[in-house]
Amino acid sequence: MLLPLAAVVSKAFGGGADAFWHAVSDRQALAALRLTLILSLVVTAVNAVMGTLIAWVLVRDEFRGKSFVNSLIDLPFALPTIVAGLTLLALYGPRGPAPFNIAYTRIGVATALLFVTLPFVVRAVQPVLLTLDRESEEAAESLGASPWVTFRRVILPSLMPAILSGGALAFARALGEFGSIVLIAGNLPFRTELASVFIYGSIQSDDTQAAAAVSVVLLLLALVVRGLIAALDRWGRRHEG
Amino acid sequence: MTGIVVSDVSKSFGDFVAVDDISLTVPDGSLTALLGPSGSGKSTLLRMIAGLEEPGAGQIVIGGADVTRTPARKREIGFVFQHYAAFKHMTVRDNVAFGLEIRRADRAKIRSRVDELLRLVHLEAYAKRYPSQLSGGQRQRMALARALAVEPRVLLLDEPFGALDATVRRDLRAWLRRLHDEVSVTTILVTHDQEEAMEVAGQIVVMNGGRIEQVGSPRELYEAPANDFVAGFVGPVTELAGSKLRPHDVDIRIDPVDGAMEAQVRRVTHLGFEVRVELEAGDGRRLWAQLTREEAEQLELMDGQIVYVRASRRMPVALA
Amino acid sequence: MRGRFALRSVALGYLTLLLVLPVGFVFLKTFEHGVGAAWDSVTTPAARHAFWLTIELVAIAVPLCTLFGVVAAIAIVRRRWRGRALFNALLDIPFAVSPVVIGLALLLVYGRLGWFGDWLAQNGLRIVFAFPGMLLATIFVSLPFVARETIPVLREVGTEQEQAAATLGAGPFQTFWRVTLPAIRWGVAYGVVLTTARALGEFGAVSVVSGHIAGQTETLTLHVEDRVEAFDLTGAYAAALVLALIALLTLLSMNLLRRKEAV
Ligand SMILES: Nc1ncnc2c1ncn2[C@@H]1O[C@H](COP(=O)(O)OP(=O)(O)O)[C@@H](O)[C@H]1O
Ligand SMILES: [Mg+2]
């Protein structure tokens, strides 16, 4: 496992630090990295909100078919990513029945990323919601707090560590995602090209130096996210006991 | 006037009737205990008064206003939970300030009010700590300060000392009594511990199976219980010649006297100040007596000894 | 009450637009030209080869990953050794790294111009653009699942039962087979299901090292992409449907196992 990754790093710096910088600061590579970062952040933010909301509905609401919906959440983990991309393309693509076309757009890429990262926040928040101390919510209510204030001041702080660590996992996944976006991104450099697609393209055109350099940047980002997750984990447990 | 009037209130969970057509008046400024075994519907009744549970039928009036359909947050109550319900991510100070912040009180006022309450519950030194850094007793005092900070019209306590160990519980009980003397807010305390209810409350409501068995002062309940259940729940009961009495009302004599029955001493147990004597009466029934150490020393009772027993005081009602 | 209904609508609406409609639509699309056409397109020689190649990869990769996962979990939870924390952190690398990067990494070691490229060529061994490379890629991406699912279960079970077995005279292997393994079996099984799903569905890493030779190094996922690029949408949907059905099976077992784990 380490050997191959070492090969990537060594390739990236094989031509010296200058070559690395040259490859990374290439306009197309830079655009791909920037788009990857921005879309991953956007997708993480949407996941934080929607994932929490879905977890809330799954834990606190009662309706018919709830357990079916609950098992549906894992679908993105079970479904091959290429199939996920294909289904979005089929419905929302140029020949799909939807009144709009998201193929080869950034919105389309973001949608594919949302599809594959859906379970992270939901599955992180759900167990925390289940074990939440309902009495402290009632205490807030008895002290005059409205449902929204109770959520914001009492529930949300308890959920925050789970939301953030689920979000970090989603972010890490979005950074490197490939399978679900190949079909929908349509390979338009500067417009819809993510880092992973750029790396793939560089490999195909035998520019492994550029591929390795961008890979190293992704690896570094992944490392930072890992560190972040570990820190969040400790932060989440700080008032326990 | 912030008395509480509960009229014909019922509450069911599915088929199960937790509170069954209860009516009750809690006088303004009183400290009333809801006493009963676990599952008797005390918490459900208290939570309906708080607005945390909606009654299936009936009416709840606080301070003259019908609040039956008013949400908890508009009832101006203070509620204290058995397991503290502390806001874990807030410091002690922020916990206590919460209700005042909701009411958008100005900062200076919040500061001084919180300081005042922290002094009242002896937590001045702990203002910056988190709940996880407090003992159970301290957490519960914090929860009390939090509930009192907003100057509630009524204070509702659901087994507030139930999760604490015996000594802390005893201290907090006495402290609650003094606190009530000081702030005299209408208070309802739920407990399944008769000693706690007797020690703290001016009025006790005995509940069983979702109904009220009796309402009265601690003394009335002890000396004139309305029925077997209340008699047994508020204190020990023994039986002599077909009538019921408290074990300390069993009069033991060495020599025969008028109206006394012959009995044999089976076992003498010394429990410090109290001495427990188990007897077998002439009619073959077992009973027991509670003596002070001095009384026991004077009698010099021994196992197997024949004595004469009679009731120095019976319970006023003929109990079934 | 109205607020609750609104929240439910937003949540279900989001899931419908993102998951249910697209996946459901592909089901419909597959049979657009009739069941016969769909059947024909999943039984072309290329599709059949892709299917069996995928099964072969899974059949080899999953047992290896499982063995590694259980051993790794025990080493992390039950043994004290230097580098344990580092090993634990490294275990997550496949989760943190883009599949494309993993593919590239394999290429740079075993490829024609890679570190071992010359040596492999001299000995007539082919890894990249051939089955072994695809197997390596599949194993790499699905390696951590079993360990990650087993570790918490192993922690929870504790050592008391194992110690009890030892006091009753059981050796380490007997203890493992008769006490530890039965206690962690649902956790392992859950990990195996996740491993299988990942191995079946892997695209990026395999894509880089396969060379896309139809009828030779094309897995089902690669076949889906190939069909889309060849504008044979019926073929793409049909192959995707096969994968989706396997995913459905995966989903069912996940649910079943989670329930087992709960009791
Ligand atoms: N939310 C609920 N759902 C179903 N049953 C409940 C609920 N709350 C209380 N009960 C039942 O109602 C009865 C009275 O409960 P409670 O008021 O908590 O009793 P107490 O506080 O006197 O111990 C119990 O049998 C309990 O199981
Ligand atoms: Mg109760």
Side-chain angles (χ1 to χ4, degrees), chain B residues 85-107:
Chain B
F87 302 141
K88 293 188 191 65
H89 55 283
M90 298 183 200
T91 59
V92 170
R93 166 172 291 281
D94 291 341
N95 262 277
V96 176
F98 185 85
L100 296 166
E101 281 172 7
I102 297 286
R103 285 166 178 70
R104 301 184 191 285
D106 69 62
R107 282 185 159 207

PDB file of all heavy atoms in Angstrom, chain B residues 85-107:
ATOM      1  N   ALA B  85     -30.971  17.192  33.312  1.00  0.00           N
ATOM      2  CA  ALA B  85     -31.211  17.834  32.012  1.00  0.00           C
ATOM      3  C   ALA B  85     -30.336  19.053  31.818  1.00  0.00           C
ATOM      4  O   ALA B  85     -30.774  20.091  31.326  1.00  0.00           O
ATOM      5  CB  ALA B  85     -32.700  18.207  31.863  1.00  0.00           C
ATOM      6  N   ALA B  86     -29.073  18.926  32.216  1.00  0.00           N
ATOM      7  CA  ALA B  86     -28.149  20.046  32.065  1.00  0.00           C
ATOM      8  C   ALA B  86     -27.831  20.259  30.590  1.00  0.00           C
ATOM      9  O   ALA B  86     -27.802  19.309  29.822  1.00  0.00           O
ATOM     10  CB  ALA B  86     -26.866  19.756  32.839  1.00  0.00           C
ATOM     11  N   PHE B  87     -27.612  21.508  30.197  1.00  0.00           N
ATOM     12  CA  PHE B  87     -27.112  21.780  28.845  1.00  0.00           C
ATOM     13  C   PHE B  87     -25.606  21.542  28.882  1.00  0.00           C
ATOM     14  O   PHE B  87     -24.847  22.367  29.375  1.00  0.00           O
ATOM     15  CB  PHE B  87     -27.436  23.215  28.425  1.00  0.00           C
ATOM     16  CG  PHE B  87     -28.912  23.541  28.454  1.00  0.00           C
ATOM     17  CD1 PHE B  87     -29.356  24.770  28.890  1.00  0.00           C
ATOM     18  CD2 PHE B  87     -29.864  22.597  28.034  1.00  0.00           C
ATOM     19  CE1 PHE B  87     -30.718  25.075  28.913  1.00  0.00           C
ATOM     20  CE2 PHE B  87     -31.215  22.892  28.061  1.00  0.00           C
ATOM     21  CZ  PHE B  87     -31.636  24.135  28.502  1.00  0.00           C
ATOM     22  N   LYS B  88     -25.190  20.398  28.344  1.00  0.00           N
ATOM     23  CA  LYS B  88     -23.811  19.932  28.550  1.00  0.00           C
ATOM     24  C   LYS B  88     -22.752  20.843  27.947  1.00  0.00           C
ATOM     25  O   LYS B  88     -21.630  20.892  28.425  1.00  0.00           O
ATOM     26  CB  LYS B  88     -23.646  18.532  27.943  1.00  0.00           C
ATOM     27  CG  LYS B  88     -24.429  17.466  28.659  1.00  0.00           C
ATOM     28  CD  LYS B  88     -24.044  16.098  28.099  1.00  0.00           C
ATOM     29  CE  LYS B  88     -24.983  15.023  28.575  1.00  0.00           C
ATOM     30  NZ  LYS B  88     -26.376  15.203  28.061  1.00  0.00           N
ATOM     31  N   HIS B  89     -23.108  21.524  26.870  1.00  0.00           N
ATOM     32  CA  HIS B  89     -22.119  22.341  26.170  1.00  0.00           C
ATOM     33  C   HIS B  89     -22.070  23.769  26.685  1.00  0.00           C
ATOM     34  O   HIS B  89     -21.392  24.599  26.127  1.00  0.00           O
ATOM     35  CB  HIS B  89     -22.438  22.339  24.685  1.00  0.00           C
ATOM     36  CG  HIS B  89     -23.843  22.796  24.420  1.00  0.00           C
ATOM     37  ND1 HIS B  89     -24.920  21.964  24.626  1.00  0.00           N
ATOM     38  CD2 HIS B  89     -24.339  23.979  24.043  1.00  0.00           C
ATOM     39  CE1 HIS B  89     -26.032  22.637  24.365  1.00  0.00           C
ATOM     40  NE2 HIS B  89     -25.707  23.854  24.018  1.00  0.00           N
ATOM     41  N   MET B  90     -22.841  24.047  27.751  1.00  0.00           N
ATOM     42  CA  MET B  90     -22.822  25.403  28.313  1.00  0.00           C
ATOM     43  C   MET B  90     -22.225  25.353  29.712  1.00  0.00           C
ATOM     44  O   MET B  90     -22.397  24.376  30.436  1.00  0.00           O
ATOM     45  CB  MET B  90     -24.241  25.961  28.420  1.00  0.00           C
ATOM     46  CG  MET B  90     -24.970  26.113  27.112  1.00  0.00           C
ATOM     47  SD  MET B  90     -26.587  26.875  27.417  1.00  0.00           S
ATOM     48  CE  MET B  90     -27.434  26.385  25.925  1.00  0.00           C
ATOM     49  N   THR B  91     -21.577  26.460  30.106  1.00  0.00           N
ATOM     50  CA  THR B  91     -21.052  26.527  31.466  1.00  0.00           C
ATOM     51  C   THR B  91     -22.226  26.658  32.440  1.00  0.00           C
ATOM     52  O   THR B  91     -23.363  26.887  32.035  1.00  0.00           O
ATOM     53  CB  THR B  91     -20.148  27.762  31.637  1.00  0.00           C
ATOM     54  OG1 THR B  91     -20.934  28.920  31.345  1.00  0.00           O
ATOM     55  CG2 THR B  91     -18.954  27.695  30.704  1.00  0.00           C
ATOM     56  N   VAL B  92     -21.920  26.527  33.718  1.00  0.00           N
ATOM     57  CA  VAL B  92     -22.938  26.678  34.750  1.00  0.00           C
ATOM     58  C   VAL B  92     -23.621  28.034  34.603  1.00  0.00           C
ATOM     59  O   VAL B  92     -24.851  28.141  34.613  1.00  0.00           O
ATOM     60  CB  VAL B  92     -22.291  26.543  36.145  1.00  0.00           C
ATOM     61  CG1 VAL B  92     -23.271  26.948  37.231  1.00  0.00           C
ATOM     62  CG2 VAL B  92     -21.803  25.116  36.350  1.00  0.00           C
ATOM     63  N   ARG B  93     -22.813  29.072  34.399  1.00  0.00           N
ATOM     64  CA  ARG B  93     -23.375  30.421  34.255  1.00  0.00           C
ATOM     65  C   ARG B  93     -24.329  30.493  33.063  1.00  0.00           C
ATOM     66  O   ARG B  93     -25.444  31.013  33.180  1.00  0.00           O
ATOM     67  CB  ARG B  93     -22.223  31.422  34.095  1.00  0.00           C
ATOM     68  CG  ARG B  93     -22.629  32.796  33.615  1.00  0.00           C
ATOM     69  CD  ARG B  93     -21.479  33.763  33.672  1.00  0.00           C
ATOM     70  NE  ARG B  93     -21.099  34.081  35.049  1.00  0.00           N
ATOM     71  CZ  ARG B  93     -21.752  34.935  35.827  1.00  0.00           C
ATOM     72  NH1 ARG B  93     -22.846  35.529  35.388  1.00  0.00           N
ATOM     73  NH2 ARG B  93     -21.351  35.169  37.051  1.00  0.00           N
ATOM     74  N   ASP B  94     -23.911  29.929  31.928  1.00  0.00           N
ATOM     75  CA  ASP B  94     -24.757  29.982  30.730  1.00  0.00           C
ATOM     76  C   ASP B  94     -26.030  29.168  30.908  1.00  0.00           C
ATOM     77  O   ASP B  94     -27.081  29.534  30.396  1.00  0.00           O
ATOM     78  CB  ASP B  94     -23.984  29.481  29.507  1.00  0.00           C
ATOM     79  CG  ASP B  94     -22.887  30.444  29.108  1.00  0.00           C
ATOM     80  OD1 ASP B  94     -22.967  31.618  29.531  1.00  0.00           O
ATOM     81  OD2 ASP B  94     -21.949  30.034  28.408  1.00  0.00           O
ATOM     82  N   ASN B  95     -25.914  28.053  31.619  1.00  0.00           N
ATOM     83  CA  ASN B  95     -27.103  27.265  31.911  1.00  0.00           C
ATOM     84  C   ASN B  95     -28.116  28.110  32.662  1.00  0.00           C
ATOM     85  O   ASN B  95     -29.292  28.167  32.295  1.00  0.00           O
ATOM     86  CB  ASN B  95     -26.735  26.044  32.761  1.00  0.00           C
ATOM     87  CG  ASN B  95     -26.567  24.784  31.927  1.00  0.00           C
ATOM     88  OD1 ASN B  95     -27.535  24.111  31.610  1.00  0.00           O
ATOM     89  ND2 ASN B  95     -25.329  24.481  31.557  1.00  0.00           N
ATOM     90  N   VAL B  96     -27.645  28.779  33.724  1.00  0.00           N
ATOM     91  CA  VAL B  96     -28.558  29.547  34.572  1.00  0.00           C
ATOM     92  C   VAL B  96     -29.113  30.751  33.814  1.00  0.00           C
ATOM     93  O   VAL B  96     -30.267  31.147  33.986  1.00  0.00           O
ATOM     94  CB  VAL B  96     -27.843  29.977  35.874  1.00  0.00           C
ATOM     95  CG1 VAL B  96     -28.758  30.851  36.722  1.00  0.00           C
ATOM     96  CG2 VAL B  96     -27.395  28.755  36.654  1.00  0.00           C
ATOM     97  N   ALA B  97     -28.306  31.302  32.904  1.00  0.00           N
ATOM     98  CA  ALA B  97     -28.727  32.509  32.183  1.00  0.00           C
ATOM     99  C   ALA B  97     -29.698  32.204  31.052  1.00  0.00           C
ATOM    100  O   ALA B  97     -30.353  33.106  30.535  1.00  0.00           O
ATOM    101  CB  ALA B  97     -27.503  33.239  31.631  1.00  0.00           C
ATOM    102  N   PHE B  98     -29.795  30.917  30.668  1.00  0.00           N
ATOM    103  CA  PHE B  98     -30.537  30.548  29.447  1.00  0.00           C
ATOM    104  C   PHE B  98     -31.928  31.167  29.360  1.00  0.00           C
ATOM    105  O   PHE B  98     -32.275  31.826  28.386  1.00  0.00           O
ATOM    106  CB  PHE B  98     -30.618  29.024  29.350  1.00  0.00           C
ATOM    107  CG  PHE B  98     -31.243  28.530  28.084  1.00  0.00           C
ATOM    108  CD1 PHE B  98     -30.487  28.365  26.938  1.00  0.00           C
ATOM    109  CD2 PHE B  98     -32.602  28.223  28.022  1.00  0.00           C
ATOM    110  CE1 PHE B  98     -31.055  27.903  25.764  1.00  0.00           C
ATOM    111  CE2 PHE B  98     -33.181  27.768  26.845  1.00  0.00           C
ATOM    112  CZ  PHE B  98     -32.402  27.612  25.723  1.00  0.00           C
ATOM    113  N   GLY B  99     -32.733  30.960  30.401  1.00  0.00           N
ATOM    114  CA  GLY B  99     -34.114  31.439  30.367  1.00  0.00           C
ATOM    115  C   GLY B  99     -34.204  32.953  30.268  1.00  0.00           C
ATOM    116  O   GLY B  99     -35.076  33.499  29.595  1.00  0.00           O
ATOM    117  N   LEU B 100     -33.242  33.630  30.935  1.00  0.00           N
ATOM    118  CA  LEU B 100     -33.255  35.102  30.889  1.00  0.00           C
ATOM    119  C   LEU B 100     -32.874  35.587  29.500  1.00  0.00           C
ATOM    120  O   LEU B 100     -33.408  36.585  29.009  1.00  0.00           O
ATOM    121  CB  LEU B 100     -32.272  35.656  31.930  1.00  0.00           C
ATOM    122  CG  LEU B 100     -32.640  35.338  33.379  1.00  0.00           C
ATOM    123  CD1 LEU B 100     -31.471  35.613  34.313  1.00  0.00           C
ATOM    124  CD2 LEU B 100     -33.862  36.152  33.794  1.00  0.00           C
ATOM    125  N   GLU B 101     -31.949  34.855  28.854  1.00  0.00           N
ATOM    126  CA  GLU B 101     -31.565  35.249  27.491  1.00  0.00           C
ATOM    127  C   GLU B 101     -32.721  35.061  26.523  1.00  0.00           C
ATOM    128  O   GLU B 101     -32.936  35.882  25.635  1.00  0.00           O
ATOM    129  CB  GLU B 101     -30.356  34.425  27.037  1.00  0.00           C
ATOM    130  CG  GLU B 101     -29.063  34.950  27.634  1.00  0.00           C
ATOM    131  CD  GLU B 101     -27.889  34.041  27.360  1.00  0.00           C
ATOM    132  OE1 GLU B 101     -28.050  33.064  26.596  1.00  0.00           O
ATOM    133  OE2 GLU B 101     -26.824  34.312  27.930  1.00  0.00           O
ATOM    134  N   ILE B 102     -33.462  33.978  26.721  1.00  0.00           N
ATOM    135  CA  ILE B 102     -34.641  33.749  25.886  1.00  0.00           C
ATOM    136  C   ILE B 102     -35.597  34.927  26.016  1.00  0.00           C
ATOM    137  O   ILE B 102     -36.213  35.369  25.054  1.00  0.00           O
ATOM    138  CB  ILE B 102     -35.383  32.470  26.346  1.00  0.00           C
ATOM    139  CG1 ILE B 102     -34.504  31.249  26.167  1.00  0.00           C
ATOM    140  CG2 ILE B 102     -36.713  32.321  25.638  1.00  0.00           C
ATOM    141  CD1 ILE B 102     -34.340  30.821  24.764  1.00  0.00           C
ATOM    142  N   ARG B 103     -35.690  35.446  27.239  1.00  0.00           N
ATOM    143  CA  ARG B 103     -36.612  36.557  27.474  1.00  0.00           C
ATOM    144  C   ARG B 103     -35.996  37.898  27.124  1.00  0.00           C
ATOM    145  O   ARG B 103     -36.569  38.945  27.397  1.00  0.00           O
ATOM    146  CB  ARG B 103     -37.024  36.555  28.951  1.00  0.00           C
ATOM    147  CG  ARG B 103     -38.018  35.441  29.259  1.00  0.00           C
ATOM    148  CD  ARG B 103     -38.175  35.221  30.749  1.00  0.00           C
ATOM    149  NE  ARG B 103     -39.163  34.189  31.023  1.00  0.00           N
ATOM    150  CZ  ARG B 103     -38.985  32.894  30.761  1.00  0.00           C
ATOM    151  NH1 ARG B 103     -37.849  32.495  30.208  1.00  0.00           N
ATOM    152  NH2 ARG B 103     -39.923  32.012  31.024  1.00  0.00           N
ATOM    153  N   ARG B 104     -34.812  37.867  26.524  1.00  0.00           N
ATOM    154  CA  ARG B 104     -34.118  39.070  26.084  1.00  0.00           C
ATOM    155  C   ARG B 104     -33.970  40.102  27.198  1.00  0.00           C
ATOM    156  O   ARG B 104     -34.183  41.303  26.975  1.00  0.00           O
ATOM    157  CB  ARG B 104     -34.836  39.696  24.898  1.00  0.00           C
ATOM    158  CG  ARG B 104     -34.927  38.749  23.716  1.00  0.00           C
ATOM    159  CD  ARG B 104     -35.545  39.409  22.505  1.00  0.00           C
ATOM    160  NE  ARG B 104     -35.858  38.401  21.495  1.00  0.00           N
ATOM    161  CZ  ARG B 104     -34.952  37.809  20.738  1.00  0.00           C
ATOM    162  NH1 ARG B 104     -33.687  38.137  20.861  1.00  0.00           N
ATOM    163  NH2 ARG B 104     -35.297  36.890  19.849  1.00  0.00           N
ATOM    164  N   ALA B 105     -33.653  39.625  28.385  1.00  0.00           N
ATOM    165  CA  ALA B 105     -33.354  40.564  29.466  1.00  0.00           C
ATOM    166  C   ALA B 105     -32.037  41.251  29.118  1.00  0.00           C
ATOM    167  O   ALA B 105     -31.225  40.714  28.372  1.00  0.00           O
ATOM    168  CB  ALA B 105     -33.221  39.805  30.775  1.00  0.00           C
ATOM    169  N   ASP B 106     -31.798  42.464  29.643  1.00  0.00           N
ATOM    170  CA  ASP B 106     -30.540  43.104  29.271  1.00  0.00           C
ATOM    171  C   ASP B 106     -29.383  42.526  30.079  1.00  0.00           C
ATOM    172  O   ASP B 106     -29.556  41.934  31.138  1.00  0.00           O
ATOM    173  CB  ASP B 106     -30.619  44.637  29.380  1.00  0.00           C
ATOM    174  CG  ASP B 106     -30.719  45.101  30.814  1.00  0.00           C
ATOM    175  OD1 ASP B 106     -29.760  44.840  31.586  1.00  0.00           O
ATOM    176  OD2 ASP B 106     -31.741  45.707  31.156  1.00  0.00           O
ATOM    177  N   ARG B 107     -28.193  42.677  29.495  1.00  0.00           N
ATOM    178  CA  ARG B 107     -27.023  41.946  29.972  1.00  0.00           C
ATOM    179  C   ARG B 107     -26.713  42.177  31.448  1.00  0.00           C
ATOM    180  O   ARG B 107     -26.414  41.245  32.174  1.00  0.00           O
ATOM    181  CB  ARG B 107     -25.799  42.363  29.160  1.00  0.00           C
ATOM    182  CG  ARG B 107     -25.773  41.711  27.808  1.00  0.00           C
ATOM    183  CD  ARG B 107     -24.503  42.082  27.148  1.00  0.00           C
ATOM    184  NE  ARG B 107     -24.160  41.157  26.092  1.00  0.00           N
ATOM    185  CZ  ARG B 107     -22.918  40.939  25.712  1.00  0.00           C
ATOM    186  NH1 ARG B 107     -21.927  41.549  26.342  1.00  0.00           N
ATOM    187  NH2 ARG B 107     -22.657  40.125  24.731  1.00  0.00           N
TER     188      ARG B 107
END
